Amino acid sequence: AMQYISERYTEIGGAEDVASHLCVSTTYLARLFGRVLGCTTTDYICRLRIGHAKAMLLDGHSVTETCYACGFNSYTYFITKFKKETGLSPAKFRTNTV
C-alpha cells in the first residue's frame, strides 16, 4: 500500500482508490495503517504530499503550482493541511526557509 501510494500520490483520490487497487476493504486498510503507522490512510497520503510540496516550494515553485502538482484538488484544502502539518502557510514556509 505504501509503495502504491508513493508511486501514485498525485493521482490517488483517497483511501478508497488504494483499497480498490489492493483488492481489500477500506476498513481493513485503515486498520492496517492504524496498527502499523499510527495514522489513517488519508493522513499518510496527505503527509506524503506535504513532504513533496515542501521540496517543490524550496525549489522555487509557486504555491498554486505546488498545490496541484502534489495531487491536491483544492487550493484552500492544501493551504489548510500544509499549515496544520508545518505551522506555516506555504507562502511563509517558502519565504522563511529560502
Side-chain angles (χ1 to χ4, degrees), residues 8-95:
R8 293 186 173 80
Y9 70 93
T10 61
E11 307 161 12
I12 294 171
E16 299 82 19
D17 292 347
V18 179
S20 175
H21 175 76
L22 299 172
C23 299
V24 298
S25 71
T26 53
T27 305
Y28 177 72
L29 186 64
R31 265 187 273 139
L32 284 177
F33 266 82
R35 190 178 323 138
V36 175
L37 300 173
C39 67
T40 67
T41 313
T42 303
D43 286 343
Y44 179 80
I45 295 167
C46 189
R47 287 183 194 148
L48 184 66
R49 288 176 175 168
I50 295 296
H52 287 280
K54 288 178 185 179
M56 285 186 71
L57 291 169
L58 292 176
D59 284 342
H61 295 276
S62 73
V63 175
T64 303
E65 179 185 6
T66 300
C67 166
Y68 296 108
C70 289
F72 289 95
N73 295 324
S74 165
Y75 184 79
T76 306
Y77 181 72
F78 170 64
I79 302 293
T80 302
K81 287 298 194 178
F82 192 94
K83 192 169 185 178
K84 183 179 179 183
E85 188 75 23
T86 65
L88 297 169
S89 71
K92 284 189 180 181
F93 176 84
R94 196 170 126 194
T95 58

